[in-house]
Amino acid sequence: MNHLLRPMRLLALPGAVAMCLGACALAPTAVAPTPAAATPAPAPSAPAAKPFATFTNAATTVQGGTFDGFDYAEKAGDAGLLAVTPAAGAVRVTGFIGTAKGSTWAGIGLTVQGAPSGAQDLSRYTAVRVSLASASAKTLRVRLVGTDAATLASGCYPVFMQAVTPQLRDYDIPMAAFAPEGHCGSNARTTAATLPAVVAIEVADPTVAAQRRDVDFQVGAISLPR
């Protein structure tokens, strides 16, 4: 008897497995939850900047500062300022630079006072942001101007030569990039010594060519990123 039952037990196992497989096929498949979409990080914003000079068509800036054009040359008559024309957003400066009298250096420029209150401490700012364009030169000189008249007259406050295009656009010039010009020697005023008392920012076209050349450049808004 036991001999006959043993094969029946063995045959029952495949049937049970078949029933389980059928039932399992009908059971719903668990679906893993879809992870929530990651929120993109906000784009970094431009460094906060303090307005130094904002131009309109008025004779002063929005901040109340004045601006004025100038010319200089090794020999009198080799540079001439023609016009300083303010407009909404920028000031246009025109003039000429020549060598008829034998000058080896000359230029046309614009001095922009930051505010009517006099010198400002700019030592906590990281750069000068200035909007520039030139129809006549590939570089313009940007200078930090301090309170000492003799240092200004000798051209020994720190400068940076900024490459420009005919289209008005912003340039960020790090304070660390400003340096006195090579001719200054012991008269040079360092950037660190100038920043605690800046009365103006100067922009000039100092390019002297073999022939007389016209000067035509624009200076737009000036601000100070922290």
Side-chain angles (χ1 to χ4, degrees):
M1 191 69 176
N2 290 338
H3 177 74
L4 293 174
L5 290 173
R6 191 174 294 117
M8 293 177 67
R9 288 197 191 101
L10 293 173
L11 291 171
L13 290 174
V17 172
M19 291 176 63
C20 177
L21 290 174
C24 291
L26 296 174
T29 303
V31 179
T34 304
T39 302
S45 57
K50 173 189 174 182
F52 183 87
T54 307
F55 300 104
T56 65
N57 57 2
T60 59
T61 67
V62 170
Q63 292 73 27
T66 61
F67 52 90
D68 199 12
F70 63 90
D71 59 57
Y72 65 93
E74 183 181 9
K75 307 290 185 182
D78 273 345
L81 176 70
L82 297 181
V84 174
T85 309
V91 175
R92 183 183 179 190
V93 181
T94 56
F96 69 88
I97 299 173
T99 57
K101 305 294 179 64
S103 293
T104 58
W105 49 264
I108 302 294
L110 180 76
T111 300
V112 183
Q113 182 187 22
S117 56
Q120 301 182 57
D121 183 357
L122 304 188
S123 56
R124 57 183 172 170
Y125 299 98
T126 62
V128 172
R129 179 175 296 156
V130 56
S131 187
L132 298 171
S134 177
S136 58
K138 294 182 178 180
T139 58
L140 293 175
R141 186 185 65 209
V142 182
R143 187 191 304 274
L144 302 172
V145 179
T147 57
D148 184 64
T151 303
L152 177 60
S154 63
C156 289
Y157 275 116
V159 304
F160 181 78
M161 297 301 294
Q162 178 63 59
V164 297
T165 70
Q167 290 74 42
L168 194 66
R169 55 156 289 191
D170 288 343
Y171 298 92
D172 279 15
I173 306 172
M175 294 300 189
F178 286 88
E181 295 182 88
H183 67 82
C184 291
S186 61
N187 293 326
R189 188 65 61 96
T190 65
T191 304
T194 304
L195 286 176
V198 174
V199 295
I201 291 175
E202 173 192 295
V203 178
D205 179 344
T207 302
V208 176
Q211 303 294 325
R212 170 176 161 148
R213 55 178 289 267
D214 292 331
V215 172
D216 187 346
F217 67 88
Q218 296 180 72
V219 180
I222 305 172
S223 60
L224 304 163
R226 290 187 183 274

